Amino acid sequence: MRMRKKKNCEARMERCSDIRISEPETHKGKWHEVFGNDNPIHIEIGCGKGSFIRGMAQMYPNINFIAVEKVPDVIVMAMEKVKAAELTNVVFMDIDAERLPDIFEKGEIKRIYLNFSDPWKKSRQAKRRLTHKVFLDRYKQVLNNGDYIWFKTDNMKLFEFSLNSFAQEGYKMENITLDLHASGFEGNVVTEYEQRFIDLGQPIYRVEAVYLGWTDERQAE
């Protein structure tokens, strides 16, 4: 469903300009200067309306969070949530995930969150999925070996595709669940989209994928 255009979006964006990074590539290798500390950085790709990033930032004040969202009418709502909560450990940027290696050095990101990403259902659209090889290779360029991608979705076919993709690209999978809210997992922060499926009693699929460098080692041999 198309997002309805928000009134006064440009003015609202301007009021949040202090937490919006307009030229992120200029901070490559220097993200500690943006936050004013050396705390680990976690990034959410496709932050939606911001409930997840706000909740995580409140829960983990010693983690720095970067939220990525390309739709102005969506990111403005997420930024307003963070501003209202008076959080100082979150910034936003509107970029394509393919640009991550242009913006971060190897190891600058400790964890990537992919929550309810667009499944791009048609086969010819597979390369657009955020768990396709194209993107997984880019994530390797900003994570260190042993760092994680946390992925959750309501779409079983996308989940199956993602498990195969993680395996093929040298990621080890942990804590796989086919029904997150019946799994006993603690510390889950619910997104706006996720809440719809909780209310309907539908399952949420989740996995933690860690890159251990196996592919890179094989290439070096």
Side-chain angles (χ1 to χ4, degrees):
M1 183 172 63
R2 183 182 293 272
M3 171 61 62
R4 183 178 298 173
K5 191 162 185 65
K6 301 300 176 186
K7 291 183 179 180
N8 305 313
C9 183
E10 187 173 339
R12 291 166 62 185
M13 294 274 278
E14 181 61 29
R15 288 194 287 270
C16 297
S17 61
D18 57 323
I19 57 172
R20 183 186 182 195
I21 307 298
S22 58
E23 297 181 347
E25 62 278 354
T26 64
H27 301 293
K28 184 174 182 178
K30 300 180 292 184
W31 281 94
H32 64 282
E33 296 179 358
V34 172
F35 291 100
N37 59 59
D38 292 320
N39 292 339
I41 297 174
H42 293 187
I43 183 170
E44 182 187 11
I45 301 175
C47 71
K49 298 177 183 177
S51 288
F52 178 84
I53 206 73
R54 178 188 60 186
M56 291 295 288
Q58 290 172 325
M59 192 179 298
Y60 301 103
N62 294 323
I63 300 291
N64 295 324
F65 292 91
I66 300 175
V68 175
E69 176 59 60
K70 295 193 296 182
V71 181
D73 293 308
V74 177
I75 197 173
V76 69
M77 291 187 285
M79 290 192 293
E80 288 173 341
K81 281 188 174 71
V82 167
K83 291 280 285 185
E86 299 182 345
L87 296 168
T88 60
N89 58 331
V90 186
V91 296
F92 292 81
M93 56 185 181
D94 49 348
I95 64 161
D96 192 290
E98 290 190 12
R99 292 184 57 203
L100 290 182
D102 299 326
I103 294 167
F104 300 102
E105 296 282 3
K106 175 78 171 175
E108 275 197 292
I109 301 300
K110 294 297 293 180
R111 186 177 299 166
I112 295 173
Y113 301 102
L114 303 175
N115 296 317
F116 303 95
S117 308
D118 192 326
W120 294 106
K121 295 179 180 181
K122 297 179 180 179
S123 297
R124 66 175 182 272
Q125 298 174 322
K127 288 185 178 181
R128 297 188 181 186
R129 298 169 189 161
L130 291 179
T131 51
H132 187 275
K133 170 183 170 59
V134 169
F135 290 99
L136 296 186
D137 284 346
R138 283 163 173 74
Y139 305 153
K140 294 175 190 177
Q141 296 178 56
V142 302
L143 297 169
N144 272 330
N145 296 344
D147 292 337
Y148 280 84
I149 300 170
W150 284 16
F151 174 71
K152 59 181 175 178
T153 181
D154 62 293
N155 189 296
M156 172 58 90
K157 289 185 178 180
L158 177 61
F159 192 64
E160 293 173 347
F161 171 88
S162 301
L163 295 182
N164 288 328
S165 191
F166 284 132
Q168 291 167 3
E169 295 307 310
Y171 289 81
K172 177 184 176 183
M173 287 166 283
E174 301 175 353
N175 298 321
I176 300 173
T177 177
L178 302 181
D179 192 346
L180 172 59
H181 297 284
S183 70
F185 177 79
E186 297 181 357
N188 179 57
V189 174
V190 176
T191 75
E192 295 90 354
Y193 193 81
E194 184 175 357
Q195 187 61 52
R196 301 181 196 175
F197 293 95
I198 296 173
D199 295 341
L200 292 171
Q202 296 181 10
I204 302 300
Y205 313 107
R206 183 181 180 278
V207 62
E208 298 170 10
V210 55
Y211 179 58
L212 299 180
W214 296 324
T215 301
D216 290 348
E217 290 172 1
R218 288 198 297 266
Q219 290 175 345
E221 291 177 354

